[in-house]
Amino acid sequence: MIPIVAVPFSVVIFKMAIVPVVILQIWAFLYIIAPYKFEKSYYLFFGVYGVVNTYVFFLATQKLLYSHIGTEGKTPFIIGLVLFLGLLVLVNSLNLKALYTGTYHKMQQMKSVNVWWLSIAGMGYVIGQLILSFVYSESAKMMIFIFLISLLSIFTAYASASLHRYYFIVKNMNLVKQVYPDFGLPMNERHDKSKKSKRRK
C-alpha cells in the first residue's frame, strides 16, 4: 500500500485499493487465532491474497502513470488491466500444466526439467509494463519503479495458484486425509493424538 498512499495522493486509486486490502487483513486474523483449525481455508486465503496483491500492484503502476507521469485517457488503464488479468490467467494456466504434466514432481525429485515456459507469464507482464511506461514517459526513474513493481507482481500472481490447491483439497478431502490424517484439526487435538501414541509406546 506504500506506493498507493504516497505523494501525490490519489483518492480514486486509494478507494479502489483499500476495500479488498481491509477485507484481506480482517480475514488474516483467523490464521493468527486458530491457524490449524482453518488450515483448509488458508489455501483459499493465500490464493485470494495473491490476486489482491497483484491487483494493488497494478493500481500502483497506474498511479505512477497518471499521477506522476501525467498520462491521460482510458487507453493506458485498459492496457494495464488486460496485462494484469492476462498475468493471472497465464500464471494459473502454466501452474496447471506443470502440475498435470508431472513437472513439479520431477523438480521435487531433483531431475533436470526444461521449465522455460514457466517464465513466459512473468516476463511478458514485465515487458508489457515497460513498453507501456516507455510510450507514455521518458523518465528513467518512473520506468525503474514500474519495472520493480511488475517484478513483485510475478510473485504475488504465482501465489494465486493456491486457489487451485484449495479447489483440489475440497474435491479430494478423503485423499488429503489419507496422506495427512491431522489435516484441518485444531492443534490441541493433534497434540492429544501424539500424546496417546507416546503412551502406547
Side-chain angles (χ1 to χ4, degrees):
M1 285 295 291
I2 292 176
I4 300 295
V5 299
V7 176
F9 184 73
S10 172
V11 177
V12 175
I13 296 292
F14 179 76
K15 286 181 178 179
M16 292 174 69
I18 193 63
V19 174
V21 169
V22 169
I23 293 173
L24 202 65
Q25 295 301 318
I26 295 172
W27 189 359
F29 276 110
L30 285 177
Y31 309 107
I32 297 175
I33 298 169
Y36 293 96
K37 183 178 180 181
F38 298 105
E39 186 175 10
K40 181 174 72 173
S41 68
Y42 175 77
Y43 291 92
L44 176 62
F45 166 79
F46 197 64
V48 174
Y49 166 88
V51 174
V52 169
N53 276 274
T54 308
Y55 167 71
V56 171
F57 287 145
F58 155 69
L59 291 179
T61 59
Q62 293 302 304
K63 184 186 175 184
L64 289 174
L65 285 171
Y66 284 92
S67 299
H68 289 266
I69 297 174
T71 302
E72 297 178 351
K74 296 180 180 179
T75 303
F77 180 82
I78 294 172
I79 294 173
L81 183 62
V82 170
L83 289 172
F84 157 66
L85 294 174
L87 174 65
L88 290 177
V89 170
L90 200 52
V91 164
N92 280 275
S93 298
L94 292 176
N95 171 69
L96 291 177
K97 179 178 180 181
L99 183 65
Y100 291 112
T101 57
T103 301
Y104 287 143
H105 177 70
K106 291 176 183 177
M107 291 173 69
Q108 289 177 342
Q109 301 298 319
M110 300 300 290
K111 294 180 180 178
S112 178
V113 185
N114 185 6
V115 292
W116 61 269
W117 44 269
L118 287 174
S119 63
I120 293 175
M123 292 312 299
Y125 182 73
V126 171
I127 292 171
Q129 288 289 359
L130 281 177
I131 292 173
L132 187 62
S133 62
F134 179 77
V135 170
Y136 290 95
S137 172
E138 295 180 357
S139 171
K141 184 178 180 181
M142 289 299 104
M143 290 183 66
I144 291 172
F145 285 153
I146 290 175
F147 173 74
L148 293 175
I149 292 173
S150 300
L151 282 180
L152 289 173
S153 299
I154 298 172
F155 297 103
T156 55
Y158 184 73
S160 70
S162 283
L163 291 172
H164 178 262
R165 294 187 182 96
Y166 174 74
Y167 175 79
F168 178 85
I169 290 170
V170 170
K171 291 293 184 180
N172 301 276
M173 196 61 189
N174 57 331
L175 296 177
V176 175
K177 283 287 189 179
Q178 289 177 15
V179 180
Y180 303 105
D182 290 340
F183 185 86
L185 294 178
M187 185 175 65
N188 60 336
E189 292 186 24
R190 300 183 187 201
H191 190 61
D192 289 340
K193 282 189 173 185
S194 63
K195 274 186 174 181
K196 288 178 182 178
S197 62
K198 285 181 180 179
R199 286 173 184 173
R200 288 174 184 175
K201 289 179 180 179

